[in-house]
Amino acid sequence: MNFSSKLLENAVYEIALLPGIGKRTALRLALHLLKQPNAQVERLASALVSLRNNITYCKKCYNISDTEICDICASFHRDPSVLCVVEDIRDVMAIENTGQYNGLYHVLGGKISPIDGIGPNELHITSLVKRVKEESIKEIIFALSNTIEGDTTNFYIFKQLEGLEITTSTIARGISVGDELEYTDEVTLGRSILHRVPFEVQ
Amino acid sequence: MNFSSKLLENAVYEIALLPGIGKRTALRLALHLLKQPNAQVERLASALVSLRNNITYCKKCYNISDTEICDICASFHRDPSVLCVVEDIRDVMAIENTGQYNGLYHVLGGKISPIDGIGPNELHITSLVKRVKEESIKEIIFALSNTIEGDTTNFYIFKQLEGLEITTSTIARGISVGDELEYTDEVTLGRSILHRVPFEVQ
């Protein structure tokens, strides 16, 4: 692209580093910002910088948090005997939004993926095992992605917890609400038959 | 959404003000930035702020420019007798990318659109008429969008230029390269028959 301004070219270059944003979208965003009040652009910029520089994570569950211990871990209304293991904080938000879970979380920060150079030591697994040993946790729910990496991570953690008196479960896998059987892949469909649940009148 | 951090919430709010970016995408971008080096986030932020605060426009054609007169207006290799009237600087880039145009530009900054509260006075039309009167311009090419607003703007400028010895033209409108006739709308197809051009062996 032929930019007539170094400032514009630079801004487009930096915006296009964001995931899912190409040069054209970056240009559109840059030109949009040019038409906004200076104050708005400065608010955006300072929000990004202060997010990056000042963010902290909960010391117990590694969820994002402005305080040392996050609101969920600090709450008296949550059940501290159940721990839900998730990949990242987006999953915490997703589960919180369902309103169906009342226990605590443990955010791994990813899943075991040798191809991306992520081994167990890059994740918060040691601290998870330590929590299970030190806190009065009775049940662990694995809520990782339904992929090979997710399953590997589940299995690795399961092995680490062997010998401890604890119930482990994974979130149910099967056909989603609204799915049609004919478009469902065989593995999912096969599993959903294998793990069928008693019929309930809702 | 249930953010566990004010910093994150604030960043997501500011990012989601950008056009075409919803809360979910904003969250994805914010979490991506969290994983990047501080320096990259600071470069992005400062690129945005300095773009907004320091950008200048060419005094002649209102194209974006780091100098008082843009590279195109200042070039000795361009034909100063032809002026291409466009809506905004993205159009300048698009036409420059074709490599088919060697004249100068005049960026209006939009098109007449009463519904959006944009009248002729909000656009750089007076300065266009002044340029035509003062400079040795022989031809004006209207390269505005093929919409009612674009046509209105064309017509308004055409009226302003009445009485001046000048050739005016619009860029050709018709079916695009790769278009199939059966999917082309009637107005476009009708116009493309009306404005047919001599057949050339390419």
Side-chain angles (χ1 to χ4, degrees), chain A residues 173-194:
Chain A
R173 288 142 177 215
I175 58 168
S176 302
V177 174
D179 269 6
E180 300 211 33
L181 280 207
E182 64 173 316
Y183 302 120
T184 309
D185 68 289
E186 300 107 49
V187 182
T188 301
L189 199 52
R191 282 191 186 185
S192 74
I193 290 173
L194 211 64

Side-chain angles (χ1 to χ4, degrees), chain A residues 46-61:
Chain A
S46 80
L48 297 183
V49 170
S50 78
L51 172 71
R52 182 65 192 85
N53 289 347
N54 305 329
I55 203 78
T56 48
Y57 296 90
C58 172
K59 286 203 169 170
K60 281 180 79 175
C61 72

